[in-house]
Amino acid sequence: MLPVSSEEACPSGSASTSGGVSTQRDEDAALALYETLRTKGGVPSEELYSAADLDDAHGGRGWRRLEDLGLIQVREGVAEAVDPDAALARAMDRYQVNATEQLRSGVRLQRVTEALLTVYRPAVQRETREVAVEFINEPRRKQRTRLDLSETARESCGSMHPGPMPSIGVLEASLEHDRSIMARGVKSRAIYPMSALASPKYARYLHDLADAGVELRLVDHAPFDMLTFDTDAAVLAADPERPADAVIVIRGAALMRSFLAVYEDCWLRGQTLERASTANADDADITAQERVIIRLMASGLSDDQIARKLGVHRRTVQRAIAKLMDRLNAGSRFEAGLKLARDAEFAGLFTVV
């Protein structure tokens, strides 16, 4: 029985051709089928192979070849030959349709390419260029970079200092610099550790800073040293545990948004100098530094971790904790933590202002 489609005419494994001999045999079978159709006119599909004196295997491959060339068609179960000129005209029509679609696709590809290369790639490149990270460890260059950035600031400068506090000489020079910045109309803000109030000289400096017009907040502890300049750049300690070593300079709005959010979070958690000074005076038995140590201890930090965060010696932390345990009549840090959690006398130490 004659198949009426290429799939049926060429079952898997029976229609594969390889080499010139097989291809020629397929062409010969196709020609035999075509001449039979031309000679006898329409031939019922099931009779065509036998009419051309072909077995099913060769007949199937010949049928497939005629279909590929467009030289055969089936109407109501009868196979008919198609004139070569008509088959050629149909092939040309198909080619022209495909060529037209390819031309349209080429135009679309050109437009897409132009948009990607001339509009969107430059936009991404501009965004990438706006983000820059620079590592600086040379002391003179670090100082020069800080000064250059502060001189270019037009709206605000912010600083965050987790401690330990630098020398008074360094702080006085910083105060003069803050005055010069504010004289240009630049808003200046600073975040310092609450423990600075425990030292008379640092407490006096903080009051001088506030009197000069710097907006000031005091926090238990801050994550790292940071200077911000408008919304354009920031200078961070490359290693928070060793802030004096190297710095990282961040530029670009894409990165600055995150660091400014960190700064604002610390600012909102901080206390004003007046409130912090009053709280410190009302609780003379517990110094500001001890208050910070208590909070960090209650957060689960070890003595070494607390000492590194506050920039103090480990023995200072141990003395503060021993004093606290004695006051709470606690036999261990764990017991002290439990009592801190439920003792109303210490509840104010954990209030976020």
Side-chain angles (χ1 to χ4, degrees), residues 150-178:
S150 64
E151 289 173 2
T152 59
R154 291 294 176 265
E155 296 179 1
S156 65
C157 289
S159 62
M160 181 163 64
H161 312 280
M165 296 289 283
S167 68
I168 287 296
V170 171
L171 292 175
E172 288 176 348
S174 176
L175 178 57
E176 288 303 315
H177 187 67
D178 287 331

Side-chain angles (χ1 to χ4, degrees), residues 223-243:
F224 42 73
D225 282 272
M226 178 165 63
L227 302 174
T228 65
F229 305 93
D230 293 334
T231 57
D232 303 321
V235 178
L236 317 172
D239 183 355
E241 301 294 337
R242 304 172 65 182

Side-chain angles (χ1 to χ4, degrees), residues 103-313:
L103 179 60
R104 293 195 187 100
S105 298
V107 172
R108 286 196 295 269
L109 177 61
Q110 181 182 4
R111 291 173 179 171
V112 169
T113 301
E114 289 177 354
L116 293 175
L117 294 181
T118 63
V119 179
Y120 292 94
R121 178 191 276 179
V124 171
Q125 290 175 338
R126 283 195 301 272
E127 181 178 329
T128 303
R129 284 195 298 269
E130 291 172 357
V131 174
V133 179
E134 183 180 9
F135 179 86
I136 303 175
N137 58 4
E138 200 277 316
R140 291 175 62 86
R141 190 175 167 212
K142 287 193 297 182
Q143 182 64 13
R144 184 69 260 168
T145 300
R146 294 189 189 101
L147 291 175
D148 289 344
L149 289 172
S150 64
E151 289 173 2
T152 59
R154 291 294 176 265
E155 296 179 1
S156 65
C157 289
S159 62
M160 181 163 64
H161 312 280
M165 296 289 283
S167 68
I168 287 296
V170 171
L171 292 175
E172 288 176 348
S174 176
L175 178 57
E176 288 303 315
H177 187 67
D178 287 331
R179 288 195 177 104
S180 67
I181 291 174
M182 290 184 291
R184 304 199 321 261
V186 177
K187 178 181 177 182
S188 181
R189 296 194 297 173
I191 299 175
Y192 278 95
M194 193 82 67
S195 57
L197 290 176
S199 168
K201 62 179 180 180
Y202 291 134
R204 184 168 58 253
Y205 164 75
L206 294 178
H207 283 283
D208 290 343
L209 198 64
D211 291 341
V214 177
E215 296 184 31
L216 190 63
R217 290 291 173 91
L218 302 177
V219 296
D220 289 343
H221 62 280
F224 42 73
D225 282 272
M226 178 165 63
L227 302 174
T228 65
F229 305 93
D230 293 334
T231 57
D232 303 321
V235 178
L236 317 172
D239 183 355
E241 301 294 337
R242 304 172 65 182
D245 288 357
V247 298
I248 296 175
V249 181
I250 303 295
R251 292 183 177 88
L255 286 176
M256 281 298 296
R257 281 190 289 268
S258 296
F259 288 104
L260 289 173
V262 172
Y263 188 91
E264 291 301 327
D265 180 68
C266 292
W267 180 264
L268 293 174
R269 288 190 291 106
Q271 295 186 24
T272 62
L273 179 60
E274 294 77 11
R275 182 184 293 272
S277 298
T278 301
N280 194 49
D282 290 343
D283 194 2
D285 289 339
I286 301 178
T287 68
Q289 185 181 76
E290 290 170 343
R291 293 165 66 89
V292 176
I293 291 174
I294 291 172
R295 290 180 179 174
L296 295 179
M297 186 198 79
S299 299
L301 273 66
S302 68
D303 294 351
D304 289 333
Q305 289 174 318
I306 296 172
R308 283 197 298 271
K309 279 189 171 293
L310 299 183
V312 299
H313 198 279

